[in-house]
Amino acid sequence: METELSPTNSKVVKPKRRPTNKKVKKAMTISLFIAPALFIYSLYVIYPILTTLNYSFFEWNGISDKVFIGLDNYVKMLNDDVFWISLKNNAWVVLASVFIQIPLGLVMALLLFAPIRGIRFFNGIYFIPFLMSTVAVGMLWRLMFDPINGTINQLINLLGLENVAWLSEKNTAIFSVLMVIVWQFSPFYMILFKAGIVGISEEMYEAADIDGANYLQKFAKITLPLLSPTIVTSSILAIVGSLKSFDLFYIMTGGGPNHGTEILGTYMYKQAFINYNMGYGSAIAFVMFVLALVVVIIIQYLDYYRKKKGDLL
Amino acid sequence: MIAKLKQGLLYLFALILLLFTAYPFVYMISTALKSQQEFYESPFALFSSFNFENVQTVFEMGLTQYFTNSVFITVTSVLAVMLFASMASYPLSRMKFKLSGLVYILFIAGMMLPIHATLIPIFKLTQSMGLYNNLWALLGPYIAFSLPISVFILTQFMRDIPKSLEEAAELDGASHFSIFWRVILPMVSPALMTVLIYNFIHLWNEFVFALVLISTPEKMTLPLGLQNFKGEFSVNIPGLMTALALASIPVLLVYLFSQEKVTTGLAGGAVKE
């Protein structure tokens, strides 16, 4: 390169130099624009994921020297009842999201298009739970579930039933937390469905009206099929969201009673930052990453398949 | 007649949902306004008293510090994310280069990532940087985990800007930096607003990183501080409710003034405006 720049044959080189120079300049510009974001992202997202994988092959309390133990942490995990309980509870979160939260979000969204007054008001209030911090929501509901002073038991007393220790009994704890999750996150799906419904053209309903379709028929034949992309998106977000959930469980039950509400997030946190099993904690964390990755790959595949085959899903 | 019945049912439905969503919130506010004695005498009476003493108590017990910390770290992180995300989105959406697809996917994939997968290394990294139990420790993780959604929103918007505007500026001899500042950024200001609101609300409420990286009360952000209050207020429930209500106010104020922006903003990546 440098020899080409010699002044003697500059006339020949000049037209050649320009494009390379421009190319280098372009590459520089692009790098400068992307560098700050990419640097922070690499340091706090990409590097940690790889390091988590690395740590997962060690026995380590976070302070003293790491001891390489190969796949032992993963073998331990397979035989760890609490890990399986956590995974099962994560599955409960997904089920509650898909079968309660998403339908409720849809109902809320449909109501916002119903011929009633005060839509803006209803919309405004319905959305509030989603704005509050999960910590505040968890603490608020903990008080409401309180065995003695809680609102919920008071209500039950009015109906003539006995007090229930909602969050400290194994049978009720997980469902109590799931109910709060439904309460807090339904508004999110409401917004997604609202956007979906707005996108459906009026003409379709007008055509159906001419054919004499009733409300239910219109819902089943027009609204629901056209909302199916939104339903798929919502379900994906629910699955990924379950792997991310932590705050509500941590605040409301701390994973108790006796791991009854343990989820992968709380279990990983406990292993790593309470028991200082950083190696085992990393192994659980990496499994969480892999699960999320698998979900994303399946989605990508379905998306590709859908685009290839046309409609469906 | 049937139409009226139908409409009545719709109202009933809407009201039941209203009760379900709003009651806990109303209960929180109403309890916050009671003294401890009033709370034990009539725990469920709504708005039976308007006692603002709790506010003072709660602020004296350290809420002021949590507030200051939260405002500082949230505002700093959000501003940094807006700058870095829009800078990165510019070449990703407006220029053609080999690695653009890969870099884009790398950023976007972060949206699906469970934070726990990065928690231990970030904890160790923070320690080795000497930032453990320092508010600045949160800046890196907060920016990094806000980038995916922000880049996603901003690139979508930047793609829609007509090429002619850029070309006109280029003919005038403008550099890429001035095109970015003078042409692109003003054009995407609605998207920047979305990014601002989305990240403000999420970071204001963020809990996991604060839990792992901060340990002493004077460094705590609001969510962590509230959790810390739990022990001190185990008997003073109105006091606790006051703290919860006060912590929710900034986000609710933002919501009150820009309801539409917040709802579409929070639906963020999933819904295009």
Side-chain angles (χ1 to χ4, degrees), chain A residues 26 30 33 40-41 44 48 52 62 115 117 124 126-127 131-133 135 139 141 143 151 154 183 191-192 195 240 244 246-247 250-251 265 268-269 278 282 285 289 296, chain B residues 7 11 14 17 20-21 23-24 27 44 87 95-97 106-107 110-113 116-117 120-122 124 129 140 205 207 211 223 226-227 241 255 259 267 270-271:
Chain A
K26 189 186 164 197
I30 290 169
F33 271 109
I40 299 173
Y41 192 70
Y44 284 100
T52 297
R117 279 157 174 271
Y126 288 170
F127 196 67
L131 288 171
M132 288 178 71
S133 87
V135 173
M139 291 172 76
W141 278 92
L143 290 167
T151 322
Q154 187 75 10
W183 181 78
I191 297 303
L192 295 190
V240 176
K244 288 184 180 176
F246 171 80
D247 302 10
Y250 180 82
I251 302 286
M268 179 270 162
Y269 174 79
M278 295 269 179
S282 296
F289 169 70
V296 172
Chain B
Q7 216 186 20
Y11 274 112
L17 277 174
F20 177 64
T21 45
Y23 177 74
Y27 174 72
F44 306 103
M87 278 173 70
M95 297 179 186
K96 276 189 182 144
F97 59 101
L106 209 60
F107 274 122
M111 278 195 275
M112 300 294 189
L113 183 75
H116 285 77
I120 297 174
I122 288 180
K124 295 308 287 181
M129 290 195 291
N205 293 335
F207 180 62
L211 179 68
L226 286 179
Q227 150 77 4
M241 289 294 191
Y255 181 58
Q259 194 178 324
V271 184

Coordinates of all heavy atoms in Angstrom, one line a residue, chain A residues 26 30 33 40-41 44 48 52 62 115 117 124 126-127 131-133 135 139 141 143 151 154 183 191-192 195 240 244 246-247 250-251 265 268-269 278 282 285 289 296, chain B residues 7 11 14 17 20-21 23-24 27 44 87 95-97 106-107 110-113 116-117 120-122 124 129 140 205 207 211 223 226-227 241 255 259 267 270-271:
Chain A
K26 N -15.0 4.9 5.6 CA -16.4 4.4 5.9 C -16.3 3.4 7.1 O -17.1 3.5 8.0 CB -17.0 3.7 4.7 CG -18.4 3.4 4.8 CD -18.9 2.6 3.6 CE -20.2 1.9 4.0 NZ -20.6 0.8 3.0
I30 N -18.2 3.8 10.7 CA -19.1 2.8 11.2 C -18.6 2.3 12.6 O -19.4 2.3 13.5 CB -19.2 1.6 10.2 CG1 -20.0 2.1 9.0 CG2 -19.9 0.4 10.9 CD1 -19.9 1.1 7.8
F33 N -19.2 4.8 15.4 CA -20.6 4.9 15.8 C -21.0 3.7 16.6 O -21.7 3.9 17.6 CB -21.5 5.0 14.5 CG -21.7 6.4 14.1 CD1 -21.2 6.9 12.9 CD2 -22.5 7.3 14.8 CE1 -21.4 8.2 12.5 CE2 -22.8 8.6 14.4 CZ -22.2 9.0 13.2
I40 N -19.7 -1.8 25.6 CA -20.4 -2.0 26.9 C -21.2 -3.3 26.8 O -21.2 -4.1 27.8 CB -21.4 -0.8 27.2 CG1 -20.6 0.5 27.3 CG2 -22.2 -1.1 28.4 CD1 -21.4 1.7 27.4
Y41 N -21.8 -3.5 25.6 CA -22.6 -4.8 25.5 C -21.7 -6.0 25.6 O -22.1 -7.0 26.2 CB -23.3 -4.7 24.1 CG -24.3 -5.7 23.9 CD1 -25.5 -5.7 24.6 CD2 -24.1 -6.8 23.0 CE1 -26.5 -6.6 24.4 CE2 -25.1 -7.7 22.8 CZ -26.3 -7.7 23.5 OH -27.3 -8.6 23.3
Y44 N -20.6 -6.4 29.4 CA -21.6 -6.8 30.4 C -22.6 -7.8 29.9 O -23.5 -8.2 30.7 CB -22.4 -5.5 30.8 CG -21.6 -4.7 31.8 CD1 -20.9 -3.6 31.3 CD2 -21.4 -5.0 33.1 CE1 -20.1 -2.8 32.2 CE2 -20.7 -4.3 34.0 CZ -20.0 -3.2 33.5 OH -19.3 -2.4 34.4
P48 N -19.8 -12.0 30.0 CA -20.4 -12.7 31.1 C -21.0 -14.1 30.8 O -20.9 -15.0 31.6 CB -21.4 -11.8 31.7 CG -20.9 -10.4 31.4 CD -20.3 -10.6 30.0
T52 N -19.8 -17.4 32.5 CA -20.7 -18.2 33.2 C -20.5 -19.7 32.8 O -20.5 -20.6 33.7 CB -22.2 -17.8 33.0 OG1 -22.4 -16.5 33.4 CG2 -23.2 -18.7 33.7
G62 N -16.3 -18.5 45.1 CA -16.3 -17.1 44.8 C -15.0 -16.4 45.3 O -14.7 -15.3 44.9
P115 N -68.9 -1.0 22.9 CA -69.7 0.2 22.9 C -70.1 0.7 24.3 O -71.3 0.6 24.6 CB -71.0 -0.2 22.1 CG -71.1 -1.6 22.3 CD -69.7 -2.2 22.5
R117 N -69.2 3.6 27.6 CA -68.5 4.9 27.9 C -67.3 4.7 28.8 O -67.2 3.7 29.5 CB -69.5 5.8 28.6 CG -70.5 6.5 27.6 CD -71.7 6.9 28.3 NE -72.6 7.7 27.5 CZ -72.5 9.0 27.3 NH1 -71.6 9.7 28.0 NH2 -73.3 9.7 26.5
G124 N -56.9 3.5 31.2 CA -55.9 4.1 32.1 C -55.7 3.4 33.4 O -54.5 3.1 33.8
Y126 N -56.6 0.1 34.0 CA -56.2 -1.3 33.8 C -54.7 -1.4 33.7 O -54.1 -2.4 33.9 CB -56.8 -1.8 32.5 CG -58.3 -2.1 32.5 CD1 -59.0 -2.4 31.4 CD2 -59.0 -2.1 33.8 CE1 -60.3 -2.7 31.4 CE2 -60.3 -2.4 33.8 CZ -61.0 -2.7 32.6 OH -62.3 -3.0 32.7
F127 N -54.1 -0.3 33.2 CA -52.7 -0.4 32.9 C -51.8 -0.2 34.1 O -50.6 -0.5 34.1 CB -52.3 0.7 31.8 CG -51.0 0.4 31.1 CD1 -50.8 -0.7 30.3 CD2 -49.9 1.3 31.3 CE1 -49.6 -0.9 29.8 CE2 -48.7 1.1 30.7 CZ -48.5 -0.1 29.9
L131 N -47.2 -0.7 35.6 CA -46.2 0.4 35.8 C -45.5 0.3 37.2 O -44.4 0.8 37.3 CB -47.0 1.8 35.8 CG -47.5 2.3 34.5 CD1 -48.3 3.5 34.7 CD2 -46.3 2.6 33.6
M132 N -46.1 -0.3 38.1 CA -45.5 -0.3 39.5 C -44.3 -1.2 39.5 O -44.3 -2.2 38.7 CB -46.6 -0.8 40.5 CG -47.6 0.2 40.8 SD -48.8 -0.4 41.9 CE -47.9 -0.5 43.4
S133 N -43.4 -1.0 40.3 CA -42.2 -1.8 40.4 C -42.6 -3.2 41.0 O -43.5 -3.2 41.8 CB -41.1 -1.2 41.3 OG -41.3 -1.5 42.6
V135 N -41.1 -5.0 42.9 CA -40.8 -5.0 44.4 C -42.0 -4.4 45.2 O -42.5 -5.0 46.1 CB -39.5 -4.2 44.7 CG1 -39.3 -4.1 46.2 CG2 -38.3 -4.8 44.0
M139 N -44.5 -6.5 47.7 CA -44.7 -6.2 49.1 C -46.1 -5.9 49.4 O -46.7 -6.3 50.4 CB -43.8 -5.0 49.4 CG -42.3 -5.4 49.4 SD -41.2 -4.0 49.6 CE -41.4 -3.7 51.3
W141 N -48.8 -7.0 47.8 CA -49.6 -8.3 47.8 C -49.3 -9.2 49.0 O -50.1 -9.9 49.5 CB -49.5 -9.0 46.5 CG -50.4 -8.5 45.4 CD1 -50.1 -7.5 44.5 CD2 -51.8 -8.8 45.2 NE1 -51.1 -7.2 43.7 CE2 -52.2 -8.0 44.1 CE3 -52.6 -9.7 45.8 CZ2 -53.5 -8.1 43.6 CZ3 -53.9 -9.8 45.2 CH2 -54.3 -9.0 44.2
L143 N -48.7 -8.1 51.9 CA -49.5 -7.6 53.0 C -51.0 -8.0 52.8 O -51.7 -8.3 53.8 CB -49.4 -6.1 53.1 CG -48.1 -5.6 53.6 CD1 -47.9 -4.1 53.4 CD2 -47.9 -5.9 55.1
T151 N -56.2 -8.4 53.5 CA -57.5 -8.1 52.9 C -58.2 -9.4 52.4 O -59.4 -9.6 52.5 CB -57.3 -7.2 51.7 OG1 -56.3 -6.3 51.9 CG2 -58.6 -6.6 51.3
Q154 N -59.8 -11.4 55.1 CA -60.9 -10.7 55.5 C -62.1 -10.9 54.6 O -63.2 -11.2 55.1 CB -60.6 -9.2 55.5 CG -61.6 -8.3 56.1 CD -61.6 -8.4 57.7 OE1 -60.7 -9.0 58.2 NE2 -62.6 -7.8 58.3
W183 N -52.1 -10.5 37.7 CA -52.5 -9.2 38.0 C -51.6 -8.1 37.4 O -52.0 -7.2 36.7 CB -52.6 -9.0 39.5 CG -53.1 -7.6 39.9 CD1 -54.4 -7.2 39.9 CD2 -52.3 -6.5 40.4 NE1 -54.4 -5.9 40.3 CE2 -53.2 -5.5 40.7 CE3 -50.9 -6.3 40.6 CZ2 -52.7 -4.2 41.1 CZ3 -50.5 -5.1 41.1 CH2 -51.4 -4.1 41.4
I191 N -52.2 -4.3 25.9 CA -51.7 -3.3 25.0 C -51.3 -4.0 23.6 O -51.6 -3.4 22.6 CB -50.5 -2.6 25.5 CG1 -50.8 -1.8 26.8 CG2 -49.8 -1.7 24.5 CD1 -51.9 -0.8 26.5
L192 N -50.7 -5.1 23.7 CA -50.4 -5.9 22.5 C -51.6 -6.2 21.7 O -51.7 -5.9 20.5 CB -49.6 -7.2 22.8 CG -48.3 -7.1 23.5 CD1 -47.6 -8.5 23.5 CD2 -47.4 -6.1 22.8
A195 N -53.2 -3.1 20.0 CA -52.6 -2.7 18.8 C -53.0 -3.7 17.7 O -53.2 -3.3 16.5 CB -51.1 -2.8 19.0
V240 N -40.3 -16.6 27.5 CA -39.1 -15.9 27.9 C -39.2 -15.2 29.2 O -38.3 -15.2 30.0 CB -38.7 -15.0 26.7 CG1 -37.4 -14.2 27.1 CG2 -38.4 -15.8 25.4
K244 N -37.1 -15.1 33.0 CA -36.6 -13.8 33.5 C -37.2 -13.5 34.9 O -36.7 -12.7 35.6 CB -36.9 -12.7 32.6 CG -36.1 -12.6 31.3 CD -36.4 -11.4 30.6 CE -35.6 -11.3 29.3 NZ -36.0 -10.1 28.5
F246 N -38.2 -13.2 38.6 CA -37.4 -13.4 39.9 C -38.0 -12.5 41.0 O -38.3 -13.0 42.1 CB -35.9 -13.0 39.6 CG -35.1 -12.9 40.8 CD1 -34.5 -14.0 41.4 CD2 -34.8 -11.6 41.4 CE1 -33.8 -13.9 42.5 CE2 -34.1 -11.6 42.6 CZ -33.5 -12.7 43.1
D247 N -38.2 -11.2 40.7 CA -38.5 -10.2 41.7 C -39.7 -10.7 42.6 O -39.6 -10.7 43.8 CB -38.8 -8.9 41.1 CG -37.7 -8.3 40.3 OD1 -36.7 -9.1 40.0 OD2 -37.8 -7.2 39.9
Y250 N -39.0 -13.7 44.7 CA -38.0 -13.3 45.8 C -38.7 -12.5 46.9 O -38.5 -12.8 48.1 CB -36.9 -12.6 45.1 CG -35.8 -12.2 46.1 CD1 -34.8 -13.1 46.5 CD2 -35.8 -10.9 46.7 CE1 -33.8 -12.7 47.4 CE2 -34.8 -10.5 47.6 CZ -33.9 -11.4 48.0 OH -32.9 -11.1 48.9
I251 N -39.5 -11.5 46.5 CA -40.1 -10.7 47.5 C -41.2 -11.4 48.3 O -41.4 -11.3 49.5 CB -40.7 -9.4 46.8 CG1 -39.6 -8.6 46.1 CG2 -41.4 -8.5 47.9 CD1 -38.6 -7.9 47.0
G265 N -34.7 -18.7 38.7 CA -34.1 -17.5 39.1 C -33.7 -17.4 40.6 O -32.6 -17.1 40.9
M268 N -31.0 -20.1 41.5 CA -29.7 -19.7 41.1 C -29.1 -18.7 42.0 O -28.0 -18.7 42.4 CB -29.8 -19.2 39.6 CG -28.4 -18.7 39.1 SD -28.2 -17.0 39.4 CE -26.5 -16.8 39.1
Y269 N -30.0 -17.7 42.3 CA -29.5 -16.6 43.2 C -29.1 -17.2 44.6 O -28.0 -16.8 45.1 CB -30.6 -15.6 43.4 CG -30.3 -14.5 44.4 CD1 -29.5 -13.4 44.1 CD2 -30.8 -14.6 45.7 CE1 -29.1 -12.5 45.0 CE2 -30.4 -13.6 46.7 CZ -29.6 -12.6 46.3 OH -29.3 -11.7 47.3
M278 N -20.7 -20.7 43.7 CA -20.7 -20.0 42.5 C -20.6 -20.9 41.2 O -21.2 -20.6 40.2 CB -19.5 -19.0 42.5 CG -19.6 -18.0 43.5 SD -20.4 -16.5 42.9 CE -20.5 -15.4 44.3
S282 N -23.5 -21.0 38.6 CA -23.2 -20.7 37.2 C -23.8 -21.8 36.2 O -24.3 -21.5 35.2 CB -21.7 -20.7 36.9 OG -21.2 -19.6 37.6
A285 N -27.4 -21.0 35.9 CA -27.6 -19.9 35.1 C -27.4 -20.2 33.6 O -28.1 -19.7 32.8 CB -26.6 -18.8 35.5
F289 N -29.8 -19.8 30.3 CA -29.5 -19.2 29.1 C -29.8 -20.2 27.9 O -30.4 -19.8 26.9 CB -28.0 -18.9 29.1 CG -27.4 -18.5 27.7 CD1 -27.8 -17.3 27.1 CD2 -26.6 -19.4 27.0 CE1 -27.3 -17.0 25.9 CE2 -26.1 -19.1 25.8 CZ -26.4 -17.9 25.2
V296 N -35.8 -19.3 21.5 CA -35.6 -18.3 20.4 C -35.3 -19.1 19.1 O -35.9 -18.7 18.0 CB -34.4 -17.4 20.7 CG1 -34.0 -16.6 19.5 CG2 -34.7 -16.5 21.9
Chain B
Q7 N -75.4 -4.4 26.9 CA -74.5 -3.3 27.4 C -74.3 -3.3 28.9 O -73.2 -3.1 29.3 CB -75.1 -1.9 26.9 CG -74.0 -1.0 26.5 CD -74.6 0.4 26.2 OE1 -75.7 0.8 26.6 NE2 -73.8 1.1 25.5
Y11 N -70.7 -3.4 30.9 CA -70.3 -2.5 32.0 C -69.9 -3.3 33.2 O -68.9 -3.0 33.9 CB -71.4 -1.5 32.3 CG -71.4 -0.3 31.5 CD1 -72.4 0.0 30.6 CD2 -70.4 0.7 31.6 CE1 -72.4 1.1 29.8 CE2 -70.4 1.8 30.8 CZ -71.4 2.0 29.9 OH -71.4 3.1 29.1
A14 N -66.5 -4.7 32.7 CA -65.5 -3.7 32.8 C -65.3 -3.3 34.3 O -64.1 -3.1 34.7 CB -65.9 -2.5 32.0
L17 N -63.3 -6.0 36.3 CA -61.9 -5.9 36.0 C -61.3 -4.7 36.6 O -60.2 -4.7 37.1 CB -61.7 -5.9 34.5 CG -61.7 -7.2 33.8 CD1 -61.6 -7.0 32.2 CD2 -60.5 -8.0 34.2
F20 N -60.7 -5.4 40.2 CA -59.5 -6.4 40.3 C -58.2 -5.6 40.1 O -57.3 -5.8 40.9 CB -59.7 -7.4 39.2 CG -58.5 -8.4 39.2 CD1 -58.2 -9.2 40.2 CD2 -57.8 -8.5 38.0 CE1 -57.2 -10.1 40.2 CE2 -56.7 -9.4 37.9 CZ -56.4 -10.2 39.0
T21 N -58.1 -4.8 39.1 CA -56.9 -4.1 38.9 C -56.6 -2.9 39.8 O -55.5 -2.7 40.3 CB -56.8 -3.5 37.4 OG1 -58.0 -2.9 37.1 CG2 -56.5 -4.6 36.4
Y23 N -58.2 -2.2 43.0 CA -58.3 -2.3 44.4 C -57.0 -2.3 45.2 O -56.9 -1.5 46.1 CB -59.2 -3.5 44.8 CG -59.3 -3.6 46.3 CD1 -60.1 -2.7 47.1 CD2 -58.5 -4.5 47.0 CE1 -60.1 -2.7 48.4 CE2 -58.5 -4.6 48.4 CZ -59.3 -3.7 49.1 OH -59.3 -3.7 50.5
P24 N -56.0 -3.1 44.8 CA -54.8 -3.1 45.6 C -54.2 -1.8 45.7 O -53.6 -1.4 46.7 CB -53.9 -4.1 44.8 CG -54.8 -5.0 44.1 CD -56.0 -4.1 43.7
Y27 N -56.2 0.4 48.0 CA -55.9 0.0 49.4 C -54.5 0.5 49.8 O -54.4 1.0 51.0 CB -55.9 -1.6 49.3 CG -55.4 -2.2 50.6 CD1 -56.3 -2.2 51.7 CD2 -54.2 -2.9 50.7 CE1 -55.9 -2.8 52.9 CE2 -53.8 -3.5 51.9 CZ -54.7 -3.4 53.0 OH -54.3 -4.0 54.2
F44 N -59.7 -2.0 56.8 CA -60.3 -2.0 55.4 C -61.1 -0.8 55.0 O -61.6 -0.7 53.9 CB -61.1 -3.3 55.2 CG -60.2 -4.5 55.6 CD1 -60.4 -5.2 56.8 CD2 -59.2 -4.9 54.7 CE1 -59.6 -6.2 57.1 CE2 -58.4 -6.0 55.1 CZ -58.6 -6.6 56.3
M87 N -26.5 6.1 18.3 CA -25.3 6.1 17.5 C -25.1 4.8 16.8 O -24.8 4.7 15.6 CB -24.0 6.3 18.4 CG -23.8 7.8 18.8 SD -22.5 8.0 20.0 CE -21.0 7.5 19.0
M95 N -26.4 2.3 6.7 CA -25.2 2.0 5.9 C -25.1 0.5 5.6 O -25.6 -0.3 6.4 CB -23.9 2.5 6.6 CG -23.9 3.9 6.9 SD -22.4 4.3 7.8 CE -22.6 6.0 8.2
K96 N -24.5 0.2 4.4 CA -24.4 -1.2 4.1 C -23.0 -1.6 4.5 O -22.0 -1.0 4.0 CB -24.6 -1.4 2.6 CG -26.1 -1.6 2.3 CD -26.3 -2.0 0.9 CE -27.8 -2.1 0.6 NZ -28.1 -1.6 -0.7
F97 N -22.8 -2.6 5.3 CA -21.5 -3.2 5.5 C -21.7 -4.7 5.9 O -22.7 -5.1 6.4 CB -20.7 -2.4 6.6 CG -21.3 -2.3 7.9 CD1 -20.9 -3.1 9.0 CD2 -22.3 -1.4 8.1 CE1 -21.5 -3.0 10.2 CE2 -22.9 -1.3 9.4 CZ -22.5 -2.1 10.4
L106 N -26.8 -9.7 17.2 CA -26.2 -9.8 18.5 C -26.9 -8.9 19.5 O -27.1 -9.3 20.7 CB -24.7 -9.4 18.3 CG -23.7 -10.0 19.3 CD1 -23.7 -11.5 19.1 CD2 -22.3 -9.4 18.9
F107 N -27.1 -7.7 19.1 CA -27.8 -6.7 20.0 C -29.2 -7.2 20.3 O -29.6 -7.2 21.5 CB -27.9 -5.3 19.3 CG -26.6 -4.5 19.6 CD1 -25.9 -4.0 18.5 CD2 -26.2 -4.2 20.9 CE1 -24.7 -3.2 18.7 CE2 -25.1 -3.4 21.1 CZ -24.3 -3.0 20.0
G110 N -30.2 -9.9 22.8 CA -30.2 -9.6 24.3 C -31.6 -9.4 24.9 O -31.7 -9.6 26.1
M111 N -32.6 -9.1 24.1 CA -33.9 -8.9 24.6 C -34.5 -10.2 25.2 O -35.3 -10.2 26.1 CB -34.9 -8.5 23.5 CG -34.8 -7.1 23.1 SD -36.2 -6.6 22.1 CE -35.7 -6.9 20.5
M112 N -34.0 -11.4 24.7 CA -34.5 -12.6 25.2 C -33.7 -13.2 26.3 O -34.0 -14.2 26.9 CB -34.5 -13.7 24.0 CG -35.3 -13.3 22.8 SD -37.1 -13.3 23.3 CE -37.8 -13.1 21.7
L113 N -32.6 -12.5 26.7 CA -31.6 -13.1 27.6 C -32.1 -13.0 29.1 O -32.4 -11.9 29.5 CB -30.3 -12.3 27.4 CG -29.1 -12.8 28.3 CD1 -28.6 -14.1 27.7 CD2 -28.1 -11.8 28.4
H116 N -30.0 -13.5 34.8 CA -29.3 -14.4 35.7 C -28.0 -15.1 35.0 O -27.1 -15.4 35.7 CB -30.2 -15.5 36.2 CG -31.1 -15.0 37.3 ND1 -32.2 -14.3 37.0 CD2 -31.1 -15.1 38.6 CE1 -32.8 -14.0 38.1 NE2 -32.1 -14.5 39.1
A117 N -28.1 -15.2 33.7 CA -27.0 -15.9 33.0 C -25.7 -15.0 33.0 O -24.6 -15.5 32.7 CB -27.4 -16.1 31.5
I120 N -23.2 -13.7 37.9 CA -22.0 -14.0 38.7 C -20.8 -13.3 38.1 O -20.1 -12.6 38.8 CB -21.8 -15.5 38.8 CG1 -22.9 -16.1 39.6 CG2 -20.5 -15.8 39.5 CD1 -22.9 -17.7 39.7
P121 N -20.6 -13.4 36.7 CA -19.5 -12.7 36.2 C -19.5 -11.2 36.3 O -18.5 -10.6 36.6 CB -19.5 -13.1 34.7 CG -20.2 -14.4 34.7 CD -21.2 -14.3 35.8
I122 N -20.7 -10.6 36.2 CA -20.8 -9.2 36.4 C -20.5 -8.8 37.9 O -19.8 -7.8 38.2 CB -22.2 -8.7 36.0 CG1 -22.4 -8.7 34.5 CG2 -22.5 -7.3 36.6 CD1 -23.7 -8.2 34.0
K124 N -18.4 -10.5 39.8 CA -16.9 -10.6 40.0 C -16.2 -9.4 39.3 O -15.3 -8.8 39.8 CB -16.4 -11.9 39.4 CG -16.9 -13.2 40.1 CD -16.6 -13.1 41.6 CE -15.1 -13.3 42.0 NZ -14.9 -13.2 43.4
M129 N -13.2 -4.3 39.5 CA -13.1 -2.9 39.1 C -13.2 -2.0 40.3 O -13.1 -0.7 40.2 CB -14.2 -2.5 38.1 CG -14.0 -3.2 36.8 SD -15.1 -2.4 35.5 CE -16.7 -2.9 36.0
G140 N -23.0 0.3 34.0 CA -22.7 -0.6 33.0 C -23.8 -1.6 32.7 O -24.3 -1.7 31.5
N205 N -37.5 0.7 38.2 CA -38.0 -0.4 38.9 C -37.0 -1.6 39.0 O -37.3 -2.6 39.6 CB -39.3 -0.9 38.3 CG -40.4 0.0 38.4 OD1 -40.4 0.9 39.3 ND2 -41.3 0.0 37.4
F207 N -34.4 -4.4 39.9 CA -34.1 -4.9 41.3 C -32.9 -5.8 41.3 O -32.0 -5.7 42.2 CB -35.3 -5.6 41.8 CG -35.2 -6.2 43.1 CD1 -35.0 -5.5 44.2 CD2 -35.3 -7.6 43.3 CE1 -34.8 -6.0 45.5 CE2 -35.2 -8.2 44.6 CZ -35.0 -7.4 45.7
L211 N -29.7 -5.6 43.8 CA -29.6 -6.6 44.9 C -28.2 -7.2 45.0 O -27.6 -7.4 46.1 CB -30.6 -7.7 44.7 CG -30.7 -8.8 45.7 CD1 -31.2 -8.3 47.0 CD2 -31.6 -10.0 45.2
P223 N -36.1 0.4 44.8 CA -36.6 -1.0 44.9 C -35.9 -1.7 46.0 O -36.5 -2.4 46.9 CB -36.4 -1.6 43.6 CG -36.4 -0.5 42.6 CD -35.7 0.6 43.4
L226 N -36.7 -0.3 49.5 CA -38.1 -0.6 49.9 C -38.0 -2.0 50.6 O -38.6 -2.3 51.7 CB -39.0 -0.7 48.8 CG -39.5 0.6 48.2 CD1 -40.4 0.3 47.0 CD2 -40.2 1.4 49.2
Q227 N -37.3 -2.9 49.9 CA -37.1 -4.3 50.4 C -36.4 -4.2 51.8 O -36.8 -5.0 52.7 CB -36.4 -5.1 49.3 CG -35.5 -6.2 49.8 CD -36.3 -7.4 50.1 OE1 -37.5 -7.4 49.9 NE2 -35.7 -8.4 50.7
M241 N -46.7 1.2 53.5 CA -47.5 1.5 52.3 C -47.2 2.9 51.8 O -47.3 3.2 50.6 CB -49.0 1.5 52.7 CG -49.5 0.1 53.0 SD -49.5 -0.9 51.5 CE -50.4 -2.3 52.0
Y255 N -46.8 8.7 33.5 CA -47.9 8.1 32.9 C -49.1 9.1 32.7 O -49.7 9.1 31.7 CB -48.3 6.9 33.7 CG -49.5 6.1 33.2 CD1 -49.5 5.6 31.9 CD2 -50.6 5.9 34.0 CE1 -50.5 4.8 31.4 CE2 -51.7 5.2 33.5 CZ -51.7 4.6 32.2 OH -52.7 3.9 31.7
Q259 N -50.0 9.4 28.7 CA -50.6 8.0 28.7 C -50.3 7.2 27.5 O -49.8 6.1 27.5 CB -52.1 8.1 29.0 CG -52.7 6.8 29.4 CD -54.2 7.0 29.7 OE1 -54.6 8.0 30.2 NE2 -54.9 6.0 29.3
A267 N -45.1 -1.2 25.4 CA -45.2 -2.4 24.5 C -44.0 -2.5 23.6 O -43.8 -3.5 23.0 CB -46.5 -2.2 23.7
A270 N -42.6 -4.9 20.7 CA -43.6 -5.8 20.2 C -44.6 -5.1 19.3 O -45.2 -5.7 18.4 CB -44.3 -6.5 21.3
V271 N -44.8 -3.8 19.5 CA -45.8 -3.0 18.8 C -45.1 -1.9 18.1 O -44.4 -1.1 18.7 CB -46.9 -2.4 19.7 CG1 -47.9 -1.7 18.8 CG2 -47.5 -3.5 20.5

